[in-house]
Amino acid sequence: MSEEKKIPYKIYLNENEIPKQWYNVRSDMKNKPAPLINPGTHEPMGFDDLRPVFCDELIKQELDNDTAFFDIPQEIQDFYKMYRPSPLVRAYCLEKALGTPAKIYYKFEGNNTSGSHKLNSAIAQAYYAKEQGLKGLTTETGAGQWGTALSMACAYLGLDLKVFMVKVSYEQKPFRREVMRTYGASVTPSPSMETEIGKKINAEHPGTTGSLGCAISEAVEVATTNPGYRYVLGSVLNQVLLHQSVIGLETKAALDKYGIVPDMIIGCAGGGSNLGGLISPFMGEKLRGEKDYRIIAVEPASCPSFTRGVYAYDFCDTGMVCPLAKMYTLGSNFIPSANHAGGLRYHGMSPILSQLYADGYMEAVSVEQTSVFEAAEQFARTEGILPAPESSHAIRVAIDEAMKCKETGEEKTIVFGLTGTGYFDLVAYQKYNDGEMTDFIPTDEDLKKSIATLPKV
Amino acid sequence: MSEEKKIPYKIYLNENEIPKQWYNVRSDMKNKPAPLINPGTHEPMGFDDLRPVFCDELIKQELDNDTAFFDIPQEIQDFYKMYRPSPLVRAYCLEKALGTPAKIYYKFEGNNTSGSHKLNSAIAQAYYAKEQGLKGLTTETGAGQWGTALSMACAYLGLDLKVFMVKVSYEQKPFRREVMRTYGASVTPSPSMETEIGKKINAEHPGTTGSLGCAISEAVEVATTNPGYRYVLGSVLNQVLLHQSVIGLETKAALDKYGIVPDMIIGCAGGGSNLGGLISPFMGEKLRGEKDYRIIAVEPASCPSFTRGVYAYDFCDTGMVCPLAKMYTLGSNFIPSANHAGGLRYHGMSPILSQLYADGYMEAVSVEQTSVFEAAEQFARTEGILPAPESSHAIRVAIDEAMKCKETGEEKTIVFGLTGTGYFDLVAYQKYNDGEMTDFIPTDEDLKKSIATLPKV
């Protein structure tokens, strides 16, 4: 107990302990993630194929499966200093409330205005665009965390930003929209009448409230038809997981300071950016055979790509303008039912995580949203932080594992990723507070149908 | 420059450097703040007079003008560890954007779910209520920061909480309401039909949207008519400034670490809780003649109690059920026009700060809200944090002072209090983004009228 007392509530690193390099977990993977392929020819996409859409330096990062460490440019390091290092928190109060012998830690990435970890990759992607001499960027956003993060990064670097926001979110989340506007971004509801694809979709589906897939298609169109613009994406891609490795590297550095070795590492998984970043250095040790950890991906039961999807080539977007990626997928035209964790409503999964899961290096569980909000409420009341619905998926499983320890008496060490805060998700909290939240689980029949539409590769 | 480089972006103290005592600035004041007096007899209120309304220990703190330091109980220290120490941030990016030789620092108190410094006193007040064996607390809230903070504190300690929320805020800020509910508080729009005074007001003013004064009266009625309940208040009182001294003590400890001596300290002032806490130890040095600092209170031009009010005994609430306090006031029935900084819309001012201002130890300036939001936007884009409208009053004056340094070439050191985040203030940001924000300044005639209604003491 006296040894325990030495571990503070929050383990902060010093500013000079912020990682100066990102770690590329692909370098330690024997089975590399499958390459992106051209939807027409089914040939792997090379540097030149991707140049019209993405920034040069980011394409290099995307395609590089071998380099273990990438230097973080000084300007990005300086930006990181504004909100990093993020704290690794010992959940003493939650442990006490649960009466568990487990030791619970969480890496809290919500301490910045974007409210999530998305900023780690947003500043990197904006930086390389600036370096390339570009005028601006385009992107899509659903729940709004990614759009907010990119708005902040572009404001900092003086880049223009055009965000296509899924129309239903644009209307239902006016506050997210206003944060982006405050940071100088232009925010357009999608489908819009500003792009060819937007006009086409509006004509074919009058009154549609849009989808992430449609917003991606519009953003890509604007990037590829306007000189000096490129498109950026906040998850799924290898480059994004590379940038997000800063989460895992800091987590490991903080644990190492106190000689703490986790038994399991838990993260929520939508496209995989947070989970991939958090587990990177731990997974590296596991891949190199140096250590063993349980690594658990948590996904919503309403959108269960790992636990009920197939591992196959699929479109990254519903508009089918993007390359094909090999990943666990429910089919690009799978429409997840109304789950309040917008950041987890994606039909596919990071190709890196998909390969690791296929190779047996990770586990996955799916959880239902009412039980997620139950965990969120318990966490808020004991640990003080109001968690994002996405993050609360990880909280749910961390609590479940801690309660198993209570039964067995095992003092396991649990680390989970608390990706963000829930200040813009209070419509969902209100539903939960009013007892009006329900669960949605797709039927086997639903999944069969959407998976049947996968492209033949 | 190399010496400068040693100062990190964020100066974090260690957990064991969180203050273990609060500092009572009254102990160093030659002219003590005037006592609360009974509105009927005009006699100073003693311990027994205040017992029906407030917790015993808090009354002792309220009345004690002499004890310099109060021990912070261990349980409060433990709670503080969940979100403190808060960072003192060097605003390198803002300085660069302004091109000023001034060195700007801000103490950021928004890194917790309540989104403001209010939690520092909320946990203290809830703790003493729990120690006294009470069942629960009542309070009022306008903008919602105080209600949120107290909800968090009561959830942590297992106390019941009843919040009367000004009806117009209850309806316009449903998200604030839901945060409080998530933490288990019951939230009632005021005026309600649950209290005698609420019924009376509803009968006399059918359809009224309420006021802070009315909500206070309802909360006091419930506290005094239900055994095991007491009323608590988030600002103005001496005890609140005592608890908030933790802000200033941490700020001073962080500055001392790097041998930094500020030239001026700036804070926004509504009831005075943040400003009073931030300046406490610096004011102590000034009062003892050890050091000199410029200390600047910033208030909205729409509610200018320091700059256009009178120093006199007045009611703390519009319902006139509370004791009289001697303070700078615009009259308890002054109704501030629509300023979006709800936390600064109070007719009076902390008696401690009022005495210090009367004695010439501080300055005060008033600023208009469009210029405040201009500063908020500039701050957000350079420093990343979306500031609360209240806090942005201090940002405005910090920028103004930094720009004066640019003209004169002086390398002054400016410290200001960044009390909170603006995630629940996006209606105001939207108005600003849309160019629809206007300024309101009360006329001399308006002020004359409301000041004329002061009680004769």
Side-chain angles (χ1 to χ4, degrees):
Chain A
M1 198 60 194
S2 68
E3 171 240 4
E4 278 229 18
K5 275 289 164 204
K6 285 180 207 156
I7 298 170
Y9 277 66
K10 299 194 281 340
I11 307 178
Y12 271 111
L13 302 173
N14 295 320
E15 223 158 79
N16 57 21
E17 293 172 301
I18 298 177
K20 291 175 182 58
Q21 297 185 309
W22 292 303
Y23 165 64
N24 182 7
V25 72
R26 285 168 285 166
S27 65
D28 281 309
M29 289 169 70
K30 219 174 86 184
N31 298 327
K32 307 292 181 189
L36 298 172
I37 62 173
N38 181 302
T41 65
H42 293 180
E43 289 296 315
M45 306 277 281
F47 183 76
D48 290 332
D49 303 315
L50 295 167
R51 283 196 79 190
V53 180
F54 296 119
C55 303
D56 293 357
E57 200 58 35
L58 293 167
I59 300 172
K60 287 184 201 160
Q61 295 179 355
E62 189 64 29
L63 298 174
D64 189 335
N65 286 336
D66 303 306
T67 305
F69 290 95
F70 285 80
D71 288 339
I72 303 176
Q74 188 59 47
E75 198 160 353
I76 300 177
Q77 286 189 42
D78 284 344
F79 188 88
Y80 279 170
K81 285 175 191 166
M82 289 206 294
Y83 69 101
R84 307 201 69 82
S86 72
L88 181 73
V89 185
R90 173 72 184 268
Y92 283 118
C93 301
L94 179 63
E95 290 171 18
K96 195 175 153 195
L98 298 174
T100 176
K103 298 174 185 72
I104 308 175
Y105 295 85
Y106 55 92
K107 179 70 169 169
F108 180 41
E109 290 289 317
N111 258 353
N112 68 74
T113 289
S114 80
S116 82
H117 66 291
K118 294 285 184 186
L119 199 51
N120 301 327
S121 185
I123 185 61
Q125 297 194 44
Y127 169 81
Y128 290 116
K130 178 87 175 177
E131 280 297 288
Q132 197 175 321
L134 298 176
K135 272 195 290 196
L137 293 171
T138 71
T139 199
E140 80 293 332
T141 202
Q145 291 181 333
W146 170 245
T148 306
L150 196 62
S151 302
M152 291 173 65
C154 286
Y156 182 78
L157 294 170
L159 283 170
D160 187 39
L161 174 62
K162 193 155 183 62
V163 179
F164 287 90
M165 187 170 188
V166 179
K167 195 179 271 175
V168 61
S169 299
Y170 182 90
E171 283 158 6
Q172 286 179 355
K173 291 194 145 187
F175 291 171
R176 272 282 181 206
R177 182 184 76 208
E178 291 308 321
V179 179
M180 290 184 261
R181 289 181 69 206
T182 299
Y183 283 91
S186 92
V187 187
T188 307
S190 168
S192 74
M193 295 304 278
E194 296 180 18
T195 65
E196 292 311 310
I197 192 126
K199 286 179 202 161
K200 186 163 168 269
I201 292 169
N202 272 316
E204 286 172 5
H205 307 278
T208 176
T209 54
S211 72
L212 211 48
C214 166
I216 293 177
S217 308
E218 288 203 274
V220 170
E221 181 183 320
V222 171
T224 50
T225 54
N226 284 278
Y229 282 77
R230 291 294 185 283
Y231 167 74
V232 295
L233 184 67
S235 192
V236 182
L237 298 176
N238 299 338
Q239 58 186 270
V240 178
L241 267 72
L242 176 69
H243 307 148
Q244 295 295 358
S245 70
V246 70
I247 305 173
L249 292 165
E250 277 187 12
T251 303
K252 188 149 191 333
L255 291 171
D256 285 351
K257 252 191 187 181
Y258 290 86
I260 304 160
V261 180
D263 293 290
M264 66 192 91
I265 301 157
I266 301 168
C268 61
S273 70
N274 148 66
L275 181 67
L278 174 65
I279 66 173
S280 279
F282 303 97
M283 183 59 85
E285 291 183 306
K286 192 166 173 168
L287 288 164
R288 295 190 302 270
E290 296 164 8
K291 288 253 176 68
D292 197 18
Y293 305 101
R294 278 185 70 197
I295 292 175
I296 308 172
V298 188
E299 56 186 17
S302 61
C303 194
S305 42
F306 267 144
T307 51
R308 295 177 69 197
V310 293
Y311 188 32
Y313 267 105
D314 195 6
F315 287 96
C316 293
D317 61 323
T318 18
M320 302 189 181
V321 298
C322 291
L324 301 181
K326 191 176 177 193
M327 54 186 179
Y328 279 85
T329 178
L330 301 166
S332 68
N333 71 349
F334 174 76
I335 297 174
S337 46
N339 179 293
H340 290 287
L344 305 180
R345 297 182 66 201
Y346 184 66
H347 67 278
M349 184 56 67
S350 141
I352 293 176
L353 293 186
S354 292
Q355 186 63 48
L356 290 168
Y357 183 64
D359 289 344
Y361 287 103
M362 330 172 9
E363 309 163 35
V365 292
S366 74
V367 291
E368 295 176 27
Q369 70 174 349
T370 47
S371 82
V372 165
F373 274 83
E374 198 183 295
E377 184 192 86
Q378 184 170 24
F379 184 81
R381 292 185 184 185
T382 50
E383 290 290 317
I385 297 168
L386 186 79
E390 291 83 355
S391 324
S392 303
H393 285 69
I395 298 173
R396 173 73 275 161
V397 173
I399 290 177
D400 291 345
E401 291 291 335
M403 293 311 284
K404 284 183 204 162
C405 288
K406 189 176 180 175
E407 277 175 37
T408 62
E410 288 174 291
E411 294 187 21
K412 288 193 178 161
T413 297
I414 299 168
V415 173
F416 73 88
L418 188 73
T419 53
T421 50
Y423 304 131
F424 294 97
D425 301 287
L426 284 153
V427 170
Y429 273 97
Q430 179 170 3
K431 277 232 165 96
Y432 179 74
N433 291 336
D434 289 341
E436 287 170 8
M437 185 170 276
T438 50
D439 293 318
F440 303 90
I441 303 178
T443 64
D444 288 340
E445 200 56 36
D446 292 338
L447 291 183
K448 225 173 173 177
K449 263 189 219 161
S450 65
I451 288 170
T453 65
L454 287 182
K456 303 274 174 285
V457 177
Chain B
M1 197 61 193
S2 68
E3 169 241 3
E4 277 231 16
K5 274 289 161 205
K6 287 181 206 154
I7 298 170
Y9 277 67
K10 299 194 279 341
I11 308 178
Y12 271 111
L13 302 173
N14 295 319
E15 223 157 79
N16 56 22
E17 293 172 301
I18 299 177
K20 292 177 180 58
Q21 297 186 308
W22 293 302
Y23 165 64
N24 182 7
V25 74
R26 285 168 285 167
S27 66
D28 281 309
M29 290 169 70
K30 218 172 88 184
N31 298 326
K32 307 292 181 191
L36 298 172
I37 61 172
N38 182 302
T41 65
H42 295 178
E43 289 296 315
M45 306 277 282
F47 183 78
D48 290 332
D49 304 313
L50 295 167
R51 285 195 77 188
V53 181
F54 297 119
C55 303
D56 293 357
E57 199 59 34
L58 293 167
I59 300 172
K60 286 184 202 160
Q61 296 179 353
E62 189 65 29
L63 299 175
D64 189 335
N65 286 336
D66 303 307
T67 305
F69 290 95
F70 285 80
D71 288 340
I72 304 176
Q74 188 59 47
E75 198 160 353
I76 300 177
Q77 286 190 42
D78 284 344
F79 188 88
Y80 278 170
K81 286 176 191 166
M82 289 206 293
Y83 69 101
R84 307 201 67 83
S86 73
L88 181 73
V89 185
R90 172 72 182 267
Y92 282 118
C93 301
L94 179 63
E95 290 172 18
K96 195 175 152 196
L98 297 175
T100 176
K103 299 176 184 72
I104 308 174
Y105 295 84
Y106 54 91
K107 179 70 170 169
F108 181 40
E109 290 289 317
N111 259 353
N112 70 73
T113 289
S114 80
S116 82
H117 66 292
K118 293 286 185 185
L119 200 51
N120 301 327
S121 185
I123 184 61
Q125 297 194 43
Y127 169 81
Y128 291 116
K130 177 89 175 177
E131 280 297 287
Q132 196 175 323
L134 297 175
K135 271 195 288 197
L137 293 171
T138 71
T139 198
E140 79 294 331
T141 202
Q145 292 181 333
W146 169 246
T148 307
L150 195 64
S151 302
M152 291 173 66
C154 286
Y156 182 79
L157 294 170
L159 281 171
D160 187 38
L161 174 63
K162 192 152 185 66
V163 180
F164 287 90
M165 188 171 187
V166 179
K167 194 180 271 175
V168 62
S169 300
Y170 182 91
E171 281 157 8
Q172 287 179 356
K173 292 194 145 187
F175 291 171
R176 270 284 179 204
R177 181 185 76 210
E178 290 310 320
V179 179
M180 290 184 260
R181 289 181 70 206
T182 299
Y183 283 91
S186 93
V187 186
T188 307
S190 166
S192 74
M193 296 303 280
E194 295 179 19
T195 65
E196 291 312 310
I197 192 126
K199 285 180 203 160
K200 184 162 170 272
I201 291 169
N202 272 316
E204 288 172 4
H205 307 278
T208 177
T209 54
S211 72
L212 211 49
C214 166
I216 293 177
S217 307
E218 287 203 273
V220 170
E221 180 183 320
V222 171
T224 49
T225 54
N226 285 279
Y229 283 77
R230 290 293 184 285
Y231 167 74
V232 294
L233 183 65
S235 192
V236 181
L237 298 176
N238 298 339
Q239 58 185 270
V240 178
L241 267 72
L242 175 70
H243 307 147
Q244 294 295 358
S245 69
V246 71
I247 305 173
L249 292 165
E250 277 188 12
T251 302
K252 187 145 193 333
L255 290 172
D256 285 351
K257 251 190 187 181
Y258 289 86
I260 304 159
V261 181
D263 293 290
M264 66 191 91
I265 301 157
I266 301 168
C268 62
S273 71
N274 148 67
L275 181 68
L278 173 65
I279 65 172
S280 279
F282 303 97
M283 184 59 85
E285 291 183 306
K286 193 166 172 167
L287 289 164
R288 296 190 301 270
E290 296 164 8
K291 289 254 177 68
D292 196 19
Y293 306 101
R294 277 185 70 197
I295 291 175
I296 308 171
V298 189
E299 56 186 16
S302 61
C303 195
S305 42
F306 266 143
T307 52
R308 297 176 69 197
V310 294
Y311 188 32
Y313 267 106
D314 194 8
F315 287 96
C316 293
D317 62 323
T318 19
M320 304 187 180
V321 297
C322 292
L324 301 181
K326 190 176 176 194
M327 56 187 177
Y328 279 85
T329 178
L330 300 166
S332 68
N333 70 348
F334 174 76
I335 297 175
S337 46
N339 179 294
H340 291 288
L344 304 181
R345 297 182 68 200
Y346 184 67
H347 67 278
M349 183 55 69
S350 139
I352 292 176
L353 293 186
S354 293
Q355 186 63 49
L356 290 168
Y357 183 64
D359 289 343
Y361 287 103
M362 334 176 4
E363 307 163 37
V365 292
S366 74
V367 290
E368 295 177 26
Q369 70 174 348
T370 48
S371 82
V372 164
F373 274 82
E374 198 183 295
E377 184 192 84
Q378 182 169 26
F379 184 81
R381 291 185 184 185
T382 50
E383 290 291 317
I385 297 168
L386 187 79
E390 290 83 355
S391 324
S392 304
H393 285 69
I395 298 174
R396 173 72 275 160
V397 173
I399 290 177
D400 291 345
E401 291 291 335
M403 293 312 284
K404 283 183 204 163
C405 289
K406 189 175 179 176
E407 277 175 36
T408 61
E410 289 174 290
E411 294 187 20
K412 288 192 177 162
T413 297
I414 300 169
V415 172
F416 72 88
L418 188 73
T419 53
T421 51
Y423 304 132
F424 294 97
D425 301 288
L426 283 153
V427 169
Y429 273 98
Q430 179 169 5
K431 276 232 165 97
Y432 179 75
N433 291 336
D434 290 340
E436 289 171 5
M437 184 169 278
T438 50
D439 292 317
F440 303 89
I441 303 178
T443 63
D444 288 340
E445 199 56 34
D446 290 339
L447 292 183
K448 223 171 173 179
K449 262 189 219 161
S450 65
I451 288 170
T453 65
L454 288 181
K456 304 274 174 285
V457 177

